[in-house]
Amino acid sequence: MSLNIGDAAPDFRMPAAGGTSVALSDFRGRKLVLYFYPRDNTLSCTKEAQAFQDAAEDFERAGAAILGVSPDAPIKHDRFKAKYGLTFSLGSDEDNAVASAYGVWVKKQMYGRSYMGIERSTFLIDKDGRIAGIWRQVRVKDHAQTVLDTLIGD
């Protein structure tokens, strides 16, 4: 499925860190930065989480919540959040249903081997639950700032 700016964001509910659950409807009335990443505690994923955390207050001032999503179990998210002082929510998409709905569960290749995995991607969802920004095949460097700049310019 290919999503475009202006489309309704696919609905979801999934387990989250801290023994909670998180749903798109939890963010109705405010903007949401929904970012998908492959795995907790890997170099790029950690740098991306830290960059969003470093700018968390700026995102909050701009009226946006941050939600990171990976296939990791909630207990792994708990450890990842504690280790790096992350204050935003991390959703656990263990069956890849949310990633599939957003079109980021894709065929990848590494060292000549094909496999399914998360395409590092970010979606900016507006107050009405519509897609306002899409970044695919994200490169971590400066990405959080790019999303914030887009949000502020909105």
Side-chain angles (χ1 to χ4, degrees):
M1 174 178 195
S2 180
L3 294 173
N4 297 299
I5 291 175
D7 289 348
D11 198 14
F12 59 81
R13 176 169 294 285
M14 69 187 111
T20 64
S21 68
V22 64
L24 180 61
S25 61
D26 296 342
F27 302 97
R28 186 67 69 175
R30 69 185 303 202
K31 296 176 183 177
L32 174 64
V33 174
L34 175 66
Y35 81 94
F36 292 87
Y37 65 99
R39 252 179 50 200
D40 292 342
N41 288 306
T42 58
L43 183 62
S44 292
C45 296
T46 299
K47 285 183 178 183
E48 185 176 28
Q50 288 173 317
F52 277 116
Q53 181 59 49
D54 289 347
E57 288 181 12
D58 295 326
F59 279 100
E60 185 66 32
R61 277 192 291 277
I66 301 168
L67 173 61
V69 176
S70 84
D72 290 310
I75 190 73
K76 282 190 74 180
H77 285 334
D78 290 338
R79 290 190 294 260
F80 188 53
K81 285 183 70 163
K83 184 174 182 179
Y84 295 103
L86 305 179
T87 58
F88 53 84
S89 295
L90 294 178
S92 179
D93 187 25
E94 292 181 274
D95 63 0
N96 304 301
V98 180
S100 294
Y102 280 80
V104 301
W105 182 247
V106 299
K107 186 181 234 180
K108 298 170 88 173
Q109 284 200 314
M110 184 182 292
Y111 305 118
R113 182 177 72 89
S114 293
Y115 63 98
M116 295 299 290
I118 295 285
E119 176 186 67
R120 189 181 307 278
S121 303
T122 302
F123 296 83
L124 178 59
I125 301 172
D126 71 16
K127 295 177 181 182
D128 298 318
R130 299 194 102 40
I131 306 250
I134 301 172
W135 295 265
R136 294 191 179 275
Q137 298 178 345
V138 166
R139 298 287 179 237
V140 172
K141 184 175 172 29
D142 300 322
H143 176 61
Q145 186 62 50
T146 299
V147 175
L148 182 60
D149 290 345
T150 300
L151 180 63
I152 291 170
D154 221 5

